[in-house]
Amino acid sequence: MTVADELTPETPEDESEEPIKKRKNGLYPGVSDELADSMKSGWADTELHDLRPVEQAEHTARRRAALSARFPGERLVIPAGNLKTRSNDTEYPFRASVEYAYLTGNLTEDGVLVLEPTIEGHKATIYLLPRSDRENGEFWLSGQGELWVGRRHSLTEAGKLYGIPASDVRELADALREATGPVRVVRSYDAGIEAALTDKVTAERDEELRVFLSEARLVKDEFEVGELQKAVDSTVRGFEDVVRVLDKAEATSERYIEGTFFLRARVEGNDIGYGSICAAGPHATTLHWVRNDGPVRSGDLLLLDAGVETHTLYTADVTRTLPVNGRFSEIQKQVYDAVYEAQEAGIAAVQPGGKYRDFHDAAQRVLAEKIVEWGLVEGPVERVLELGLQRRWTLHGTGHMLGMDVHDCAAARTETYVEGTLEPGMVLTVEPGLYFQADDLTVPEEYRGIGVRIEDDILVTEDGNRNLSDGLPRTSAEVESWMASLKG
């Protein structure tokens, strides 16, 4: 790739402007006055005039109103975050903070939402980078200028899109330094904004803001449910893609599976929602196997845990465990069917008014019963559960909230999350598993190296639940039939 390596004119028109960063070892020693003048003119007006608000604008307005009601009389500052350097002068792809995206619908770097207290509540302003300046050459001389990284929306355009008045973010830090009265900021996203507020905020008050925004996402509105369904539907198609190319994965490695699913995620969405777990053979017993560099062998199982993230940052989180050759062996089927039975019990426990942890307890009981039945641990089952002995092979909790983060609402208080009550609109995963490590001498050899997890995304409804990911088969017989049909 190329990087902006030209230099700013020696004397900018506005001496107070920060000089555009120069790149060492650039091929051009400078910019002539004639070239600088040429680059200022001769450009068409590209302002967009017929913009409509983004689809979620009415929902983000309602969310900001709830936030305003919770913190009356306080200035609230929610940054999107900044680009992060990957190496030298290249950056990681940007992903806006969940809190900012949830409240604005905007996904661009350096943005900041500010809610200024008023007598009636709050006035919201979204602070963004404006269009690149053509007078000072920033649009073509800076590595982040529009000629290099693409067009930005003007502040007027942004105001129309997001339903929030927009201002220049480069003026915000100075304004915040002069601000008076109580302030809260969502931390860890924008060091410059935090520095401007350093003498005005406290960690405790800022944590209250973060917790509130996390808990606000526990119950999804209709827009969010629709986005999650889109993410799941694309994920289903991604799993089908993988099954169709398993022969190519056998000829190469788990990375062929990773790349295949990633293609679907980028074509139909923004990205993958988290690092895909493409774990074949004994790698399936490693919970977060994301190296994806191992062999794919006929006769082994493939544990594929992957999710497409939509353009609005809602992600699916689905797992299927598949026999690479299309047929489960007897012992693989035994373990798989046990996990399926546990998942069925867990899904059945997802009901409005029920306790959040009910689905976990139901699934763990089934798995404890199985390992006692198989003679892997001494019963009775109540003793196993009381001592947590099943955890040697079940390892993890049976699910989590899902939304704009794969582990959504993570900052919520324990009493409203893990110890809370399920409500219609909540979306969670149900994902029991059994994992027998290759070096586990406490189990018969035939179990060693087998890992099975089945995971679906479940919406709590008024009268029960709905499996958003039921487009993928779950029983062992259905999986075999499905794989055979895709392989032709």
Side-chain angles (χ1 to χ4, degrees), residues 228-243 254-266 271-279 286-290 292 302-310 314-322 400 402-403 405-407 429-431 435 453-457 468-469 472 482:
L228 285 167
Q229 187 66 70
K230 288 180 188 176
V232 168
D233 291 345
S234 289
T235 298
V236 168
R237 291 187 283 273
F239 274 64
E240 292 171 346
D241 295 340
V242 167
V243 171
E254 296 162 338
R255 289 194 174 176
Y256 203 96
I257 295 167
E258 178 183 0
T260 298
F261 187 85
F262 180 71
L263 177 61
R264 177 66 66 172
R266 287 293 281 165
D271 207 331
I272 50 175
Y274 53 96
S276 299
I277 299 169
C278 309
T286 300
L287 291 185
H288 291 161
W289 177 262
V290 293
N292 298 335
L302 166 67
L303 190 156
L304 178 59
D305 185 338
V308 172
E309 176 186 79
T310 67
Y314 289 85
T315 184
D317 182 10
V318 178
T319 306
R320 288 297 184 267
T321 305
L322 312 171
H400 51 80
L402 184 68
D405 279 330
V406 66
H407 293 157
T429 68
V430 179
E431 51 175 310
Y435 312 91
R453 179 164 65 252
I454 310 172
E455 177 182 19
D456 285 273
D457 301 341
L468 301 179
S469 47
L472 286 174
W482 172 72

Side-chain angles (χ1 to χ4, degrees), residues 75-82 97 100 108-116 125-129 167-179 183-202 206 209:
R75 180 176 285 103
L76 308 174
V77 182
I78 301 95
N82 315 123
S97 75
Y100 175 84
T108 56
E109 66 268 19
D110 300 328
V112 183
L113 173 67
V114 177
L115 272 61
E116 297 278 353
T125 303
I126 188 170
Y127 289 85
L128 302 166
L129 285 172
S167 293
D168 190 336
V169 71
R170 295 173 297 187
E171 301 169 358
L172 179 59
D174 288 340
L176 291 177
R177 289 187 187 96
E178 302 299 321
V183 184
R184 297 177 191 257
V185 63
V186 178
R187 299 191 179 204
S188 302
Y189 295 120
D190 192 318
I193 294 299
E194 288 183 42
L197 295 170
T198 186
D199 60 341
K200 298 175 173 60
V201 296
T202 68
D206 293 347
L209 173 60

Side-chain angles (χ1 to χ4, degrees), residues 4 9 20 70 117 140 147 157 227 240 251 295 303 320 418 430 450:
I20 296 169
R70 171 62 179 82
W140 71 287
L147 204 85
E157 291 170 353
E227 290 299 294
E240 292 171 346
L303 190 156
R320 288 297 184 267
V418 174
V430 179
I450 292 178

